[in-house]
Amino acid sequence: MPALRDGRRGNGGVSRRTALRVGGAAGLLLAMGGGLTAAVLRRARLHSASDTRTRMGTLVHVTVVHPEAARARELVGAAFDEIDRLEAVFSGHRPDTPVSRLNADGVLDDPPAELAAVVRRALRIAELTGGTFDPTVAPLIELHRRSFAETDAPPAESAVEEAMTRVGYRHVAVDAGRIAFARPGMAVSLDGIAKGYILDRVVEQVTAAGAAGVLADGGGDISAGEGEVAGTGWPVGVEHPREPGTMLGTIEARNQGVATSGDYVRAYTADLRHHHIVDPRTGVSPGHASAATVVAGSAMEADAIATAAMVLGPVHGVELLERLDGTEGLIVTKELDLMRSSGFGA
């Protein structure tokens, strides 16, 4: 596991919506030793290209390192083309996507292979986490969103109980030709896993095309491919959940995914008691952790497990991380204490 280095205060003015940070050209300046970056790349006969665009409801930053400057730029463009293609599969906010059709009809015949694969993996992670990550939590998420939008208050207990009858990952069936819900009114939210999957696919595609290094950052979910030009991985900063611009530390990631889930990302109340994360088992926001950062073998895994760790809280969240091979993490309690799995920062 990459070492966790001591944090230092940033320059301020940094959005609290992005909990994981990379420096310079998506990490290159920090990874390659600041001002020596250009010299290092020249000696290695490599070039870098980067771009930032609004995708998947956030800012997505892609950096590619390649022996040819023009090819590096082409691969960055190709990366965003792949993001566009997959966002048209997974978005639950567009009425014409396969996910929206599944949620509207309760069944989807001949689903795209990517969607079937992600739903299968989501159900597997739901099983591994005891249902604390559950892709069918969508009715509860929508209930809380609508209640705070309309009344500026949490939903009534009776409404929560009713929504919970439409939640449960065991009521989803997936086979080669169909995804189907066993109960009417169910819906999936893949926001906690699909973004990581898309970033992983970008890294795989660009690496297969000959890149010497690639990093894809989607609003704090990070997929880090090769990047060892200067003997290190990509540096990723873990931001303090209550102090924007202050880093708890940095880790170096290579061929890994990193993700943070936090109560501050989309909060409904000033005290952060009610936020966008909902415990599928209770129907309300979990109240013991302020943030969970997870490093795993892929951004997809890190994305989903970070959500589960937030729901479980510091003690049980760390227990989960210890059970999962190749997965480490840091959980910040509501009191801002830090709890690490045994391999995080080692």
Side-chain angles (χ1 to χ4, degrees), residues 221-312:
D221 290 346
I222 292 172
S223 186
E226 292 293 333
E228 205 179 50
V229 178
T232 64
W234 298 97
V236 178
V238 182
E239 189 178 50
H240 194 295
R242 299 292 183 264
E243 299 179 20
T246 297
M247 298 299 157
L248 296 174
T250 61
I251 59 177
E252 292 177 355
R254 180 173 178 234
N255 294 325
Q256 291 171 304
V258 189
T260 287
S261 183
D263 58 8
Y264 53 88
V265 175
R266 190 161 57 252
Y268 296 125
T269 56
D271 62 3
L272 305 183
R273 179 182 174 188
H274 299 279
H275 47 84
H276 72 295
I277 301 169
V278 178
D279 186 339
R281 305 166 303 174
T282 65
V284 298
S285 294
H288 299 292
S290 59
T293 295
V294 171
V295 183
S298 68
M300 175 174 66
E301 301 282 332
D303 198 2
I305 294 167
T307 299
M310 272 292 295
V311 170
L312 284 165

Side-chain angles (χ1 to χ4, degrees), residues 195-219:
K195 183 165 64 172
Y197 171 82
I198 292 171
L199 297 175
D200 289 334
R201 286 291 297 266
V202 163
V203 169
E204 291 170 7
Q205 174 181 288
V206 173
T207 301
V214 56
L215 182 137
D217 172 10

Side-chain angles (χ1 to χ4, degrees), residues 40 136-137 151 271:
V40 169
T136 70
V137 75
T151 69
D271 62 3

Side-chain angles (χ1 to χ4, degrees), residues 75-304:
L75 289 176
V76 170
F80 281 101
D81 289 342
E82 179 70 353
I83 291 170
D84 290 342
R85 184 184 74 82
L86 291 172
E87 189 173 6
V89 172
F90 290 106
S91 176
H93 307 289
R94 303 179 188 177
D96 59 339
T97 68
V99 167
S100 292
R101 295 199 302 273
L102 171 63
N103 288 341
D105 300 335
V107 62
L108 181 68
D109 291 319
D110 298 319
E114 298 92 346
L115 176 58
V118 169
V119 172
R120 284 194 192 95
R121 191 58 189 159
L123 298 178
R124 176 59 177 154
I125 294 175
E127 189 71 34
L128 289 172
T129 62
T132 51
F133 170 82
D134 189 334
T136 70
V137 75
L140 285 167
I141 292 175
E142 175 58 21
L143 173 66
H144 282 264
R145 186 203 64 76
R146 188 174 65 249
S147 180
F148 279 99
E150 295 176 354
T151 69
D152 200 27
E157 184 176 344
S158 59
V160 171
E161 291 175 353
E162 187 283 326
M164 289 184 67
T165 67
R166 297 180 279 122
V167 173
Y169 68 92
R170 291 189 175 92
H171 303 299
V172 181
V174 187
D175 59 38
R178 168 177 284 205
I179 303 173
F181 301 144
R183 294 181 176 180
M186 292 184 67
V188 292
S189 172
L190 299 177
D191 292 348
I193 190 169
K195 183 165 64 172
Y197 171 82
I198 292 171
L199 297 175
D200 289 334
R201 286 291 297 266
V202 163
V203 169
E204 291 170 7
Q205 174 181 288
V206 173
T207 301
V214 56
L215 182 137
D217 172 10
D221 290 346
I222 292 172
S223 186
E226 292 293 333
E228 205 179 50
V229 178
T232 64
W234 298 97
V236 178
V238 182
E239 189 178 50
H240 194 295
R242 299 292 183 264
E243 299 179 20
T246 297
M247 298 299 157
L248 296 174
T250 61
I251 59 177
E252 292 177 355
R254 180 173 178 234
N255 294 325
Q256 291 171 304
V258 189
T260 287
S261 183
D263 58 8
Y264 53 88
V265 175
R266 190 161 57 252
Y268 296 125
T269 56
D271 62 3
L272 305 183
R273 179 182 174 188
H274 299 279
H275 47 84
H276 72 295
I277 301 169
V278 178
D279 186 339
R281 305 166 303 174
T282 65
V284 298
S285 294
H288 299 292
S290 59
T293 295
V294 171
V295 183
S298 68
M300 175 174 66
E301 301 282 332
D303 198 2

